[in-house]
Amino acid sequence: MLNFTVGPVMSSDAVRAVGSRQVPYFRTTEFSETMLENERLMLRFAKAPQGSRAVFITGSGTASMEAVVMNLFSAHDKVIVINGGSFGHRFVQLLEIHRIPFTEIRLEMGRQLRAEQLAPYERQGYTGFLVNLDETSTGVLYDIRMISDFCRRNGLFLAVDSISSFLADPFDMAKLGVDVMITGSQKALACPPGISIIVLAPRAIERANASECRTMYLNLRDALKNGERGQTPFTPAVGTLRQINVRLKEIERAGGVEIENERAARLAADFRRKIKGLPLEIVSESLSNAVTPLHPLHGSAYDIFLKLKDEYGIWICPNGGDMAEKVFRVGHLGALTPEDNTTLVEALKKVL
């Protein structure tokens, strides 16, 4: 199998080796040391400000999206949310479920958020901002510097879903004034799914500790308290957390987050160069290094996904809903090489 989806992705031999071992008991000093190291490296790679913390949730990225919404916002907030696709819509759904007042900025498929779309919301009493940095369903990377400037001018609490963008695109939490960042184990961390990670800057920690939300499993105050000793409130996905530790140390040895960003950028550029001349249209006007969203000019996007999977053993990422027949996505995360890109492109030529 050759996996070009946006998660789960191809894992390194070292990460897979850990996954083949017996899972140890976790209420131990050894596991606490692993978790404290995971937190230290996550804070370094997110470039989080001094005094930040990271918590590890056993659940998909949506679990952490919900934890952020329910712990860090309340009925007293007034939130702007960007909806440019499936995952922006998920934030909208979460705000509705938890009855948090919000205004939705809806974007057309593949379109970038622009300054003129934010202008009507200047000094209008908003308190928070929710955005998926890379809207994975359409492959649009939003202008986080523009969003950051808007939030600073207006004193907004900024929460960023960087689930597919983390480690693939440059991101500096401290310089951007981001209060919360979310990511997941199965994206550029290239581990099995099951863990999502929330990095909280000091202002977010204050909100979490003051929160009156009613939840047991997704209570960030409890997660932060247990994290002080390198533990979690409930049984975590121990095996995946040990694999994350190996992967984070791989990134550290290779030279850190900048090197990982460059690797994803090279893979993405190589693939996009190799598909020139094929009857495929890139649908995003602002591409992330993580993924290339493609519209086939002839035929069904979903049929292409099926043919590559069934006839060539190659997985690309299909879309759902209205985009199922129109757009498929090719990921550039995990243990992929330019040679793997060539294999995919040759298969695409035959299928197309």
Side-chain angles (χ1 to χ4, degrees), residues 32-249:
S32 290
E33 289 171 353
T34 295
M35 289 299 292
L36 291 169
E37 186 171 44
N38 285 349
E39 182 177 19
R40 176 180 63 81
L41 290 171
M42 279 299 306
L43 295 177
R44 181 193 298 179
F45 296 157
K47 300 186 178 179
Q50 189 73 25
S52 297
R53 295 284 309 282
V55 299
F56 298 80
I57 303 292
T58 296
S60 71
T62 302
S64 281
M65 290 169 72
E66 183 157 30
V68 164
V69 167
M70 67 195 301
N71 283 268
L72 305 182
F73 296 97
S74 73
H76 302 293
D77 281 297
K78 185 181 174 185
V79 178
I80 295 171
V81 59
I82 306 304
N83 180 0
S86 301
F87 296 98
H89 178 62
R90 192 163 299 176
F91 265 141
V92 170
Q93 290 175 299
L94 288 167
L95 290 165
E96 288 174 340
I97 288 167
H98 295 286
R99 300 180 181 179
I100 294 164
F102 70 93
T103 296
E104 172 187 4
I105 299 177
R106 183 172 290 190
L107 306 175
E108 294 180 13
M109 183 182 75
R111 297 300 181 191
Q112 172 67 281
L113 176 68
R114 304 192 186 283
E116 55 265 30
Q117 292 169 291
L118 291 178
Y121 306 104
E122 295 273 4
R123 294 178 291 280
Q124 295 298 311
Y126 287 93
T127 61
F129 198 107
L130 278 173
V131 63
N132 317 88
L133 180 54
D134 172 25
E135 173 49 72
T136 318
S137 66
T138 60
V140 176
L141 183 71
Y142 295 129
D143 185 345
I144 189 61
R145 288 182 179 82
M146 178 189 72
I147 291 169
S148 167
D149 290 344
F150 173 84
C151 290
R152 280 180 163 141
R153 284 196 307 275
N154 290 276
L156 303 189
F157 183 90
L158 176 56
V160 173
D161 156 15
S162 188
I163 291 173
S164 63
S165 180
F166 178 63
L167 296 175
D169 300 300
F171 183 79
D172 190 317
M173 199 170 165
K175 285 185 179 178
L176 293 165
V178 172
D179 293 294
V180 183
M181 185 203 78
I182 306 167
T183 192
S185 57
Q186 78 277 23
K187 304 294 185 177
L189 278 172
C191 292
I195 293 290
S196 50
I197 304 160
I198 306 171
V199 178
L200 301 100
R203 192 158 67 146
I205 295 170
E206 289 177 14
R207 281 201 175 207
N209 286 329
S211 174
E212 296 179 357
C213 78
R214 298 173 65 84
T215 178
M216 178 179 283
Y217 192 74
L218 295 178
N219 190 300
L220 293 186
R221 182 173 58 247
D222 288 352
L224 287 164
K225 182 65 177 175
N226 279 267
E228 292 173 5
R229 59 190 179 97
Q231 289 289 332
T232 56
F234 310 102
T235 303
V238 175
T240 303
L241 287 163
R242 294 176 74 225
Q243 289 174 292
I244 288 172
N245 184 255
V246 168
R247 174 67 175 134
L248 289 170
K249 288 191 286 191

